[in-house]
Amino acid sequence: MGDTSVKKVESRHSPKGEMGQKYLASGVRVAMRLWEDEPPAEAKPASTRDYETVGYVLKGRAELHLEGQVILLNPGDSWLVPRGSSHTYKILETFSAVEATSPSSAAHGRDEHEAAKKPAKA
């Protein structure tokens, strides 16, 4: 018999990460997170992650700067950031998106560990 556990996560009760993300449901190999009403902002320094990310834009617009390319993200668009690729986002309009990461971005504090490496905001 396979795993019969069921998880439900209500986003209003989700824990928040240091970068503003809400952690949603997660499993052994994949996790979801929500970026909700992120305000327009210039791109942060590029970073790399030890997980891959796929995302879906709910509202707003952003630019994904990925390995020298600039990809415009609009509502209804989805995207992929491969593991280990240099990337950053520039939020153009108040932005909401759902992402899935594999392996989980929340496992072992991967997000916060990477955020701690970044220089402080001026």
Side-chain angles (χ1 to χ4, degrees), residues 19 35 37-45 60-65 88-95 121:
M19 297 181 297
W35 300 92
D37 297 324
E38 291 291 312
E42 289 299 315
K44 296 177 182 174
R61 292 183 322 119
E63 291 176 352
L64 168 58
H65 297 240
T88 189
Y89 300 89
K90 178 179 179 181
I91 308 300
L92 304 174
E93 293 175 2
T94 302
F95 189 74
K121 292 181 180 177

Side-chain angles (χ1 to χ4, degrees), residues 1-109:
M1 183 173 185
D3 185 356
T4 59
S5 60
V6 175
K7 287 187 180 181
K8 175 187 172 183
V9 176
E10 293 182 30
S11 67
R12 69 176 183 247
H13 299 298
S14 294
K16 282 191 174 184
E18 291 178 9
M19 297 181 297
Q21 73 278 31
K22 283 186 179 180
Y23 292 111
L24 302 176
S26 62
V28 175
R29 293 181 195 88
V30 67
M32 289 177 58
R33 59 188 178 184
L34 173 65
W35 300 92
E36 191 170 40
D37 297 324
E38 291 291 312
E42 289 299 315
K44 296 177 182 174
S47 62
T48 60
R49 301 284 194 242
D50 65 349
Y51 51 83
E52 71 178 354
T53 302
V54 294
Y56 180 81
V57 181
L58 300 168
K59 71 176 184 179
R61 292 183 322 119
E63 291 176 352
L64 168 58
H65 297 240
L66 176 67
E67 295 289 341
Q69 300 176 67
V70 178
I71 300 146
L72 184 60
L73 300 174
N74 292 299
D77 291 347
S78 59
W79 73 93
L80 165 70
V81 175
R83 179 181 181 178
S85 61
S86 177
H87 69 285
T88 189
Y89 300 89
K90 178 179 179 181
I91 308 300
L92 304 174
E93 293 175 2
T94 302
F95 189 74
S96 295
V98 174
E99 291 182 329
T101 60
S102 179
S104 172
S105 63
H108 310 294

